[in-house]
């Protein structure tokens, strides 16, 4: 039944592959991630309040400008598709049974016709810290290299004995006979797995052949090689399409892996190169909750670094400001007028909030939804402000909302208005709340769908419609 519903969702996709766009991102989001120990799809675990697969997709859109996105879904496919929703030039491909990364790519390119003339970028859906700059530079390097395939590699920063990643093996400057490698130097020969390096006998060299020349690597040399495969690739589509079917599942797991394309391309006289990003954290993926928390902390630190000298954040380790709000802060700062915004410890400022100058949001306040703040507004401790997507809340200049108030829905609060503690207000779509200027509401008061004129004092009252 579940498969039937997923197939219906796939058949009802309105977006189609755009053949005028020369970059296509295939985002692998079919796995569940057993080690994450959660009923939620691994791809929907959030980093800085955004599902990791959405972060990857957004980085592709921003880093490559025009891009087709094919998101490969599998386990929890319905949840992933509903979370991402309908996005421009984005389609889904269903990997009903997971047979490895290569198989996922095979499923994805069934959505593309043979005559497509472009580049395919393959990315893991859990790489939630990858950013637009990294992908822009990766694309730029691939174009300039004239290679047929490029691998985005990481540089392991710890001690070699703790590095369990597969190593990138490149062509040396000279072969075993001392012959110069010429233009082949630096090309990628293969990825050798850590366990295969460990299985080499001491003193035994690893011999491999590239373009008719033999190259030798000692066990020590391979172990100390800190360049590893990130799982991000750029490939010429037509050559990918031609050779993808040559990957076999002749391995212990019985799966089809993208990494095998490197050997296949080399055997067919095609060029594979590699490049690493400026920042290593952008390559982080996760298989457990502790690494996910590390990624969350990195995202928080990045956000803090962007705005730490523009606004005042009481606790760099305990706050949330949505990336759209961060962008608004950066734009306001460009005017050259001081913002004088203060953010308290534990404050949450979510998507849709429109901040303004001389704003004070105190400890543990929660703001989320279409909330438009005037100038010189104070939101005190433990206040809750929120709206549904269809609703708008406006708070006028020089107004205050005090301790612990709960304010929800369609509400307009005028200028110089003071909502004191223990007030609960709700405005619905049918019955909004409108409060005039110079109003004070205090005591244990509840308001629903009411209109209060300017210069009114309300205390210990229940006002309903």
């Amino acid at each position: 039944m579940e498969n039937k519903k997923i197939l219906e969702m796939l058949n009802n996709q309105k977006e189609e592959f755009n053949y005028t766009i020369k970059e296509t991102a295939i985002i692998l989001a079919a796995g569940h991630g057993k080690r994450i120990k959660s009923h939620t799809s691994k791809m929907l675990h959030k980093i800085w309040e955004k599902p990791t697969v959405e972060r990857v997709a957004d980085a592709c859109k921003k880093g490559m400008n025009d891009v087709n996105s094919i998101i490969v879904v599998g386990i929890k496919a319905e949840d992933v598709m509903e979370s991402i929703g309908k996005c421009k030039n984005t389609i889904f491909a269903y990997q009903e049974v997971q047979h490895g990364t290569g198989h996922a790519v095979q499923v994805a390119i069934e959505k593309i016709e043979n005559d497509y003339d472009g580049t395919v970028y393959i990315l893991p859906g859990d790489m939630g810290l990858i950013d637009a700059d990294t992908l822009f530079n990766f694309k730029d390097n691939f174009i300039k290299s004239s290679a047929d395939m490029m691998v985005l590699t990481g540089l392991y920063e710890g001690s070699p004995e703790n590095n369990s990643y597969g190593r990138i093996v490149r062509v040396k400057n000279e072969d075993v006979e001392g012959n110069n490698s010429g233009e082949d130097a630096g090309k990628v020969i293969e990825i050798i797995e850590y366990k295969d390096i460990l299985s080499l006998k001491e003193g035994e060299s690893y011999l491999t052949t590239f373009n008719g020349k033999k190259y030798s690597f000692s066990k020590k040399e391979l172990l100390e090689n800190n360049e590893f495969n990130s799982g991000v690739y750029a490939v010429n589509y037509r050559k990918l399409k031609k050779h993808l079917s040559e990957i076999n599942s002749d391995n212990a797991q019985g799966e089809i892996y993208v990494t095998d394309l490197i050997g296949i391309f080399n055997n067919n006289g095609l060029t594979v190169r590699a490049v690493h990003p400026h920042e290593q954290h952008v390559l982080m993926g996760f298989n457990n909750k502790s690494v996910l928390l590390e990624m969350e902390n990195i995202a928080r630190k990045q956000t803090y670094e962007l705005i730490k000298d523009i606004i005042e954040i009481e606790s760099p380790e305990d706050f949330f400001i949505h990336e759209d709000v961060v962008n608004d802060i950066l734009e306001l700062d460009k005017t050259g007028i001081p913002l004088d915004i203060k953010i308290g410890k534990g404050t949450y400022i979510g998507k849709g909030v429109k901040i303004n100058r001389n704003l004070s949001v105190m400890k543990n306040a929660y703001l989320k939804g279409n909330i438009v703040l005037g100038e010189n507004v104070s939101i005190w401790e433990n206040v809750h402000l929120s709206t549904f997507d269809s609703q708008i809340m406006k708070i006028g200049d020089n107004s205050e909302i005090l301790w612990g108030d709960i304010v929800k829905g369609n509400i307009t609060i005028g200028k110089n208005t003071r909502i004191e503690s223990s007030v609960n207000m709700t405005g619905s779509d049918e019955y909004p709340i409108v409060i005039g200027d110079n109003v004070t509401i205090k005591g244990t008061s509840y308001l629903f769908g009411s209109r209060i004129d300017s210069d009114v004092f309300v205390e210990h009252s229940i006002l309903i419609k």
Side-chain angles (χ1 to χ4, degrees):
M1 182 66 69
E2 182 182 353
N3 285 1
K4 184 179 178 180
K5 185 173 182 180
I6 292 166
L7 292 173
E8 285 178 1
M9 292 173 71
L10 290 166
N11 290 332
N12 290 332
Q13 292 184 94
K14 292 184 179 179
E15 286 292 331
E16 295 182 359
F17 191 89
N18 189 335
Y19 286 90
T20 65
I21 295 174
K22 299 306 178 186
E23 276 75 39
T24 295
I26 295 176
I27 300 171
L28 309 183
H32 182 275
K34 294 179 180 178
R35 283 179 283 177
I36 200 72
K37 296 184 178 180
S38 172
H39 290 295
T40 302
S41 166
K42 175 183 176 182
M43 303 303 161
L44 296 182
H45 279 74
K46 294 180 179 180
I47 298 171
W48 208 241
E49 285 296 290
K50 181 183 287 187
T52 179
V53 66
E54 288 186 36
R55 293 178 68 92
V56 175
D58 285 351
C60 291
K61 291 172 188 174
K62 293 173 184 176
M64 299 180 197
N65 296 323
D66 287 332
V67 63
N68 287 305
S69 294
I70 302 176
I71 300 175
V72 183
V73 294
I75 298 170
K76 301 281 184 178
E78 184 180 342
D79 294 343
V80 175
M81 292 169 70
E82 287 179 349
S83 174
I84 293 172
K86 297 176 182 178
C87 300
K88 185 179 179 181
N89 299 326
T90 298
I91 57 177
F92 297 93
Y94 183 42
Q95 187 185 20
E96 186 172 2
V97 181
Q98 286 71 55
H99 288 310
T101 54
H103 177 246
V105 175
Q106 289 176 345
V107 170
I109 66 170
E110 289 177 3
K111 300 288 183 180
I112 310 173
E113 293 177 5
N114 292 337
D115 60 352
Y116 177 59
D117 182 21
T119 301
V120 169
Y121 297 84
I122 302 165
L123 304 97
D126 68 340
M127 198 174 280
L129 294 179
I130 199 159
D131 56 28
D133 287 344
T134 298
L135 291 176
F136 176 84
N137 290 329
F138 185 50
K139 170 187 169 181
D140 189 52
N141 276 290
F142 179 64
I143 293 169
K144 289 178 180 177
S145 72
S146 299
D148 302 295
M149 179 177 182
M150 181 169 276
V151 186
L152 186 62
T153 61
L155 298 176
Y156 188 78
E157 297 172 339
S159 56
E161 59 268 21
N162 295 327
N163 181 4
S164 59
Y165 289 103
R167 272 48 163 193
I168 298 290
V169 179
R170 293 179 183 251
V171 176
K172 291 183 171 182
N173 291 328
E174 293 182 348
D175 67 8
V176 293
E177 297 177 357
N179 298 313
N180 191 290
S181 299
E183 293 183 355
D184 286 342
K187 292 180 180 178
V188 177
I189 302 175
E190 60 183 311
I191 298 171
I192 183 168
E193 297 301 327
Y194 177 63
K195 61 184 179 181
D196 294 327
I197 299 172
L198 291 181
S199 67
L200 292 172
K201 296 177 182 178
E202 293 300 328
E204 179 184 357
S205 292
Y206 177 75
L207 287 173
T208 187
T209 302
F210 182 88
N211 203 11
K213 295 180 180 179
K214 290 186 177 180
Y215 295 90
S216 176
F217 300 85
S218 68
K219 182 176 182 178
K220 181 175 183 293
E221 198 174 8
L222 291 172
L223 286 173
E224 292 180 352
N225 177 0
N226 70 335
E227 188 176 21
F228 65 88
N229 174 32
S230 73
V232 178
Y233 311 92
V235 196
N236 176 284
Y237 168 73
R238 291 184 178 179
K239 289 163 186 174
L240 172 67
K241 180 74 174 179
K242 180 179 179 181
H243 296 289
L244 190 58
S245 61
E246 297 174 30
I247 304 177
N248 61 53
S249 57
D250 186 17
N251 53 61
Q253 291 74 29
E255 295 191 344
I256 299 170
Y257 295 120
V258 173
T259 50
D260 291 347
L261 270 178
I262 295 171
I264 293 169
F265 270 41
N266 285 332
N267 291 337
N268 284 276
L270 302 175
T271 301
V272 182
R273 292 196 178 275
V275 66
H276 49 264
H278 299 304
E279 301 286 344
Q280 294 301 301
H281 67 259
V282 300
L283 303 181
M284 288 181 72
F286 64 94
N287 284 313
N288 52 54
K289 290 179 171 64
S290 61
V291 175
L292 182 63
L293 180 59
E294 286 181 42
M295 295 171 74
E296 174 78 5
N297 290 335
I298 289 171
R300 179 182 294 106
K301 185 177 179 181
Q302 287 177 317
T303 301
Y304 178 71
E305 290 296 322
L306 282 173
I307 57 178
K308 66 179 182 180
D309 295 322
I310 303 174
I311 68 173
E312 183 180 328
I313 298 176
E314 180 183 351
S315 177
E317 294 79 28
D318 189 5
F319 77 98
F320 175 80
I321 302 177
H322 190 273
E323 59 184 29
D324 290 348
V325 182
V326 171
N327 290 333
D328 289 344
I329 291 170
L330 295 173
E331 286 300 313
L332 277 173
D333 183 56
K334 291 178 182 178
T335 65
I337 302 172
L339 302 187
D340 292 319
I341 294 174
K342 297 180 181 180
I343 304 298
K345 181 179 180 181
T347 290
Y348 182 105
I349 301 180
K351 184 176 182 180
V353 177
K354 296 297 180 184
I355 49 88
N356 214 323
R357 291 183 172 82
N358 200 25
L359 168 68
S360 176
V361 184
M362 299 183 192
K363 185 178 179 181
N364 295 329
Y366 179 94
L367 292 74
K368 186 177 183 180
N370 302 313
I371 301 168
V372 181
L373 302 170
E375 292 188 356
N376 310 312
V377 168
S378 292
I379 309 296
W380 289 45
E381 293 183 12
N382 301 309
V383 166
H384 178 108
L385 307 178
S386 65
T387 73
F388 291 123
D389 290 341
S390 61
Q391 300 174 329
I392 297 177
M393 182 185 301
K394 296 180 180 179
I395 301 175
D397 296 347
N398 307 306
S399 290
E400 291 183 281
I401 300 179
L402 275 63
W403 295 283
D405 288 341
I406 299 173
V407 183
K408 297 181 177 181
N410 269 327
I411 297 177
T412 300
I413 298 174
K415 298 177 181 179
N416 307 308
T417 288
R418 182 179 173 91
I419 313 296
E420 295 198 3
S421 56
S422 301
V423 174
N424 189 321
M425 302 195 299
T426 303
S428 69
D429 293 349
E430 187 177 0
Y431 298 105
I433 288 177
V434 179
I435 299 172
D437 301 335
N438 309 307
V439 171
T440 297
I441 301 174
K442 63 184 297 185
T444 304
S445 294
Y446 174 77
L447 283 71
F448 173 77
S450 300
R451 179 182 294 272
I452 298 174
D453 289 340
S454 296
D455 306 306
V456 169
F457 179 91
V458 177
E459 183 177 14
H460 296 302
S461 299
I462 297 174
L463 302 178
I464 299 177
K465 293 189 285 185

